[in-house]
Amino acid sequence: PSLLRATNAAIPLFDHGIAYLPGDKGKPGIWLDATSPESRLGPLPSMDARTVAFFIDEGPAKVIDTPASSPDEHGIDASWTIKLSPSGAGDLVAVERHSGDAAFELRMKLKQPDARAQWVEQYLASGWFPTVQVTGAIDFKPDLPKGVAVLEYGAHSEGFARREGKELAVPLAESSTLTSQLAPLVERTLPVVLPPRLAPGHETRTITIVAPAGYAFSELPPNGDVNGGEFGKAHLEFKKAAGKNAVVVKRSLVFDLATIPVDQYAKWRA
């Protein structure tokens, strides 16, 4: 750190270059990582945020800290409607807004139209649905203002809900827990560095679950919030949909701190 912040910085210590566009009439400037054709004018990529940069502008060059990328600028805001059948099968209609790093990744993965159905199926089957098949066309808008991308699709799963006697049990989380994915070790000797697609970032899903004919929802689980301070936060909310036999579930997860020091690992894992 002392070398990077020294008055005379050695350029080989810096391994990447990005551009800065000054704002007009005192407005904030825009940082642009132009090394990829899928980058857009918009939020600073999280891999370039909260780090040390050698800033070269008019006047003497200086060492600065790049802006802290906000979780609000990166992530997924999804609206899902799932119509259940008595067998537990479900038909999904999805509209997803991807921003910042999430939109960058989507443009990389869905550049070729022929690859989109396979990517959507893998994306859903990686945690949400045990079996899934895309139905109909996929609508992908990759170049909306500020680098936002919107993805719309439909899919069918034969096993979304689980039959328990005469009842259906509906899962509302991925098959593997966040702890098992991100923090399987009880103790660590090195920091955890979360990938740019995850932190800083957010994932908000509004899921409308429509019951089959002849079914009624039992008592809904309680709502809940977890405030993780500098690590992030989580929110879970259930409510009956007005005018139809459906429940609306809103689940939101925010990761803020991207690098977890060893001395904070246990607290973060908890």
Side-chain angles (χ1 to χ4, degrees), residues 2 16 18-19 34 54 64 68 70 78 85-86 107 112 118-119 139 146-147 170 181 184 186 189 204 215 233 240 266:
S2 61
H16 189 46
I18 60 177
F54 191 52
I64 65 167
S70 166
S85 70
R107 284 189 288 268
Q112 300 299 327
Q118 182 181 7
W119 183 88
D139 186 17
K146 296 186 178 180
V170 182
Q181 295 176 46
V186 176
T189 57
T204 300
Y215 281 71
K233 58 185 178 181
K240 293 284 184 68

Side-chain angles (χ1 to χ4, degrees), residues 7 12 20 22 28 42 65 69 80 106 139 147 159 172-173 183 191 215 238 262 264:
T7 303
Y20 176 76
D65 292 305
S69 189
W80 286 5
L106 209 60
D139 186 17
L172 294 171
Y215 281 71
F238 301 87
V262 173
Q264 291 184 273

Side-chain angles (χ1 to χ4, degrees), residues 20-109:
Y20 176 76
L21 308 178
D24 185 35
K25 298 179 180 179
K27 294 181 181 178
I30 298 175
W31 297 81
L32 172 63
D33 190 336
T35 56
S36 166
E38 303 311 327
S39 291
R40 300 292 185 271
L41 285 173
L44 176 66
S46 55
M47 64 180 176
D48 299 322
R50 308 181 193 193
T51 190
V52 178
F54 191 52
F55 189 67
I56 303 170
D57 195 5
E58 296 180 5
K62 52 187 178 292
V63 176
I64 65 167
D65 292 305
T66 59
S69 189
S70 166
D72 296 335
E73 298 175 321
H74 305 275
I76 302 172
D77 295 277
S79 175
W80 286 5
T81 299
I82 302 171
K83 293 184 178 180
L84 295 176
S85 70
S87 68
D91 288 301
L92 166 68
V93 176
V95 179
E96 300 187 359
R97 180 185 183 274
H98 295 238
S99 55
D101 286 358
F104 174 89
E105 184 174 354
L106 209 60
R107 284 189 288 268
M108 293 288 289
K109 302 291 187 182

Side-chain angles (χ1 to χ4, degrees), residues 179-249:
T179 305
S180 64
Q181 295 176 46
L182 303 176
L185 299 178
V186 176
E187 296 181 355
R188 284 188 63 95
T189 57
L190 294 173
V192 174
V193 180
L194 298 175
R197 63 175 176 78
L198 195 61
H202 71 277
E203 181 182 296
T204 300
R205 296 188 188 276
T206 302
I207 307 172
T208 301
I209 302 168
V210 182
Y215 281 71
F217 287 95
S218 62
E219 183 180 353
L220 298 179
N223 301 334
D225 286 280
V226 175
N227 184 358
E230 64 178 331
F231 303 131
K233 58 185 178 181
H235 173 74
L236 185 62
E237 176 186 323
F238 301 87
K239 65 178 180 180
K240 293 284 184 68
K244 56 182 178 180
N245 191 17
V247 164
V248 179
V249 183

